[in-house]
Amino acid sequence: MSNYDTLNPMQQEAVFHTEGPVLILAGAGSGKTRVLTHRTAYLIEEKGVNPYHIMAITFTNKAAGEMRERIDDLVGFGSESIWVSTFHSSCVRILRRHIDRLGYDNNFTIYDGDDQKTLMKDICKRLQVDTKIYKEKSFLGAISHAKDELISPEEFALNVAGDYSKKKQAEVYAEYQKMLHKNNALDFDDLIVKTVELLKADPEVLNYYQERFRYIMVDEYQDTNTAQFQLIKTLASKYRNLCVVGDDDQSIYKFRGANIYNILNFEKEFPDARVIKLEQNYRSTKTILNAANSVISNNVGRKAKVLWTDNEEGDKVNFQQFDTGYDEADYIVRDISKKVRDGEYNYGDCAILYRTNAQSRLFEERFVVSNIPYKVVGGVNFYARREIKDLLCYLKTIDNARDDLAVRRVINVPKRGIGATTLAKVQAYANENDLSFYNALKMAEDISSLGRSAVKIKPFVTLIQTMRSKAPYLGVADLLEEILEETGYLEELKAEGEEEAQARMENIDELISKAVAYEEKCQSEDTEPTLSGFLEEVALVADVDSLESGSDYVVLMTLHSDKGLEFPNVYLAGLEDGIFPSYMTITADDPSEIEEERRLCYVGITRAMEHLTITSARMRMIRGETQYNKVSRFVREIPEELLGHAPEKVRLAESVKARTYEQAKTAFRAKVAYAGTPVDFASAATESQSLPYTVGDRVRHLKFGEGTVTNIVAGGKDFEVTVDFDAFGVKKMFAIFAKLKKI
């Protein structure tokens, strides 16, 4: 039996209120997972609800795994019947059973970002789109946004009016969906969209899942988009026992389609909803929480709440401002080294958080020199590596031969002497006869234009057909071994060079280990391991899920990657106006943009449990330009009494000490050079030895607008130009990057 006395009064209210719509506003570190797991136990133990009728849904595999583990521990027997899953995994499970009602085969492929880019390139080529004018990435962005809002290609086309650019997007969107359907494939957005479409189109399926999910709980509700909201609303509309848990102050994924108004307007959608606030924080010190509250209170678009804690006061927030980004990196790495050496923390207790991925470079170089273990979250995803993509595409071809992208990727891997001309002829035949690319390959002997090339295609088709016949009897790991054996893939890898091949073979070994782990997991859950199931699991892996608990290394990640995590010792780096918040945010007409950035800062601050260090630099090299930045407005929103060194540091924001940018850069380079990892700093030759402007001239910059040249220094292969811009203040930059125009 669960012990509900261990919950605080507001947590108990959230657990015991089980009927009707409920909004739980759960502040950072307020124990929301504990509430959800106890609520699940209460439904079963006290309310007599069959576990089969409970659904708990969240965003990441990591969060779903943690919730599943804690529910199993709390509930015990019968807990396996509870549907604990991510949004995307839930939709895949539903679609695997019923998508044939929408005209797809149930063994559809899930396209990742690389697959989408490849498909979009093909579409742009087919539609003769000038990709110098219309970027493939912008098409994918427009399509994703439309799907987030449940806007179909037909509806999109109706709304373009006289906008030629939107008309082109509508044309590409329609073709993109047509090709996905032809390939029996869905992208990630489709997983939600098609499930909503299915539920609205098929009353039988809708009734089945409404009866199945009589009690629905949604975690991280502030991150839902319009499509996810419609999915949840549709499923819950019969019994209306919908409990959503979230924090509007932690809504930071607008760029991914998250709609903060889902949580802000919950009571409008459900007028009879009970609203319960969890404001007691169990994670951080009083000082850290006070700093977080002081920042987020500046936002207007939020529900009023104030985090508090019974934890100790704790150290002041350590604010440090440096002359340059090099000094900042040097300080943080030395500080981590000292804290570990003094026994205060382990490496795994420390995290460096920053606004953009590019900021990791200086820290990484310094860690290498200091021989400190670290991991960058947000690097190249394991499943995006070439050899892994190759083998997964073999598996996809065996599982779903309608997936043209997968077939085209591996038909010449390893090399089979099948040229681009041959592939183009096969594709033309497929288009003319409305066939998949693979089915056209099977009919190669009937394609007269191929001539002798048809002979080269036959072995590939035979290989795939053989593997397809073996797939039902072999495990996924054994199937991978067969593919490697039959294709000679490893032999071709070895031809690339010993060191390169070794790293790639280690990755392949890891993929086989993943397949074995998948099969073992299925066995423990008493479910049938399938090729489709393995590919589905791989497709739904999020990068942050790869963060192993218990590993002793410093974690480096962007602020967007850190939500849901906590660390005893946190460094928030690069807190400067222009970096965080960014110039685009500062200059945006929409005030909600700066509020989103402020929420991001709030999330960063509340990751810290015991010690928080905030750093900024007066000078920082961005895209080859030395920028002079003020201390971030978010730091200035923290009361001075909470900041160590704050008064003098903030007042010195506009001054520059004796140590120059070049001196800092040279010193930093010297430190990393002896470790055998020399840093390649930007330098470029100017097109001529003289500039079309001089000191005192007015110039225009593409981003910073108009300004006055105050200094020019000839150095090496380029000129260093200092400009006092009217709107952005003093910037120092290399002439070749600046591209200044005299006015």
Side-chain angles (χ1 to χ4, degrees), residues 318 320 322 328-340 344-347 349-355 363 367 554-557 559 562 567-575 604-605 607-608 611-615:
N318 176 22
Q320 299 284 346
F322 302 94
E328 175 188 58
D330 195 50
Y331 169 81
I332 289 176
V333 174
R334 280 190 294 106
D335 193 53
I336 291 173
S337 183
K338 182 179 184 303
K339 282 180 165 59
V340 172
E344 288 183 62
Y345 295 112
N346 295 319
Y347 291 124
D349 296 328
C350 305
I352 303 175
L353 312 177
Y354 37 77
R355 183 63 183 82
F363 297 111
F367 279 132
V554 181
V555 174
L556 288 80
M557 64 172 76
L559 286 151
D562 70 5
F567 302 92
N569 184 37
V570 168
Y571 299 85
L572 269 183
L575 267 286
I605 292 172
R607 296 314 92 196
H611 195 82
L612 173 65
T613 298
I614 297 177
T615 61

Side-chain angles (χ1 to χ4, degrees), residues 143-304:
I143 291 169
S144 180
H145 178 69
K147 290 182 179 182
D148 286 345
E149 297 298 320
L150 289 175
I151 299 171
S152 67
E154 296 75 22
E155 189 181 347
F156 192 97
L158 289 173
N159 295 332
V160 297
D163 189 325
Y164 182 77
S165 175
K166 290 280 177 66
K167 278 186 178 179
K168 185 60 69 176
Q169 288 177 354
E171 183 185 1
V172 170
Y173 184 9
E175 185 66 18
Y176 176 78
Q177 285 306 110
K178 178 183 168 187
M179 292 308 299
L180 279 175
H181 189 264
K182 181 175 179 289
N183 291 353
N184 195 38
L186 304 179
D187 62 20
F188 272 89
D189 296 319
D190 278 332
L191 296 176
I192 311 292
V193 172
K194 292 298 176 187
T195 306
V196 173
E197 191 180 316
L198 173 69
L199 295 175
K200 292 194 171 180
D202 197 309
E204 183 185 353
V205 174
L206 174 61
N207 185 62
Y208 172 81
Y209 285 105
Q210 285 181 334
E211 285 296 327
R212 171 82 196 264
F213 306 132
R214 297 185 185 186
Y215 290 85
I216 299 174
M217 290 177 282
V218 184
D219 193 13
E220 303 289 4
Y221 186 67
Q222 75 282 344
D223 294 336
T224 55
N225 59 33
T226 301
Q228 289 161 335
F229 166 72
Q230 282 298 331
L231 172 69
I232 293 302
K233 183 183 175 185
T234 303
L235 286 172
S237 60
K238 187 169 186 176
Y239 289 97
R240 303 186 77 254
N241 296 322
L242 173 62
C243 171
V244 301
V245 185
D247 181 5
D248 51 304
D249 288 336
Q250 296 186 71
S251 179
I252 59 174
Y253 295 123
K254 182 180 178 183
F255 70 100
R256 289 185 193 164
N259 185 352
I260 192 174
Y261 293 102
N262 287 348
I263 193 167
L264 292 180
N265 295 338
F266 188 80
E267 298 101 306
K268 289 183 182 177
E269 198 66 43
F270 301 95
D272 57 334
R274 173 79 71 92
V275 179
I276 301 165
K277 296 180 182 179
L278 304 182
E279 296 171 295
Q280 183 174 357
N281 176 283
Y282 294 92
R283 176 189 297 155
S284 306
T285 64
K286 284 186 173 72
T287 299
I288 290 171
L289 284 190
N290 289 338
N293 285 329
S294 65
V295 171
I296 200 63
S297 64
N298 289 277
N299 272 6
V300 176
R302 65 185 293 260
K303 290 179 178 287

Side-chain angles (χ1 to χ4, degrees), residues 3-18 34-35 38-39 42 274 276 278:
N3 184 1
Y4 304 108
D5 292 338
T6 61
L7 304 171
N8 69 41
M10 298 311 292
Q11 288 177 330
Q12 288 180 351
E13 184 181 347
V15 167
F16 299 153
H17 188 84
T18 58
R34 197 156 177 263
V35 166
H38 277 77
R39 195 173 193 273
Y42 184 78
R274 173 79 71 92
I276 301 165
L278 304 182

Side-chain angles (χ1 to χ4, degrees), residues 281 283-296 306-319 572 602 604-614 634-635 637-646:
N281 176 283
R283 176 189 297 155
S284 306
T285 64
K286 284 186 173 72
T287 299
I288 290 171
L289 284 190
N290 289 338
N293 285 329
S294 65
V295 171
I296 200 63
V306 177
L307 289 184
W308 61 275
T309 185
D310 283 334
N311 293 343
E312 60 185 22
E313 200 74 32
D315 298 332
K316 288 188 176 183
V317 175
N318 176 22
F319 174 65
L572 269 183
Y602 171 81
I605 292 172
T606 54
R607 296 314 92 196
M609 299 165 69
E610 300 168 1
H611 195 82
L612 173 65
T613 298
I614 297 177
F634 301 147
V635 178
E637 288 169 357
I638 299 174
E640 289 188 353
E641 61 268 20
L642 298 178
L643 294 175
H645 313 298

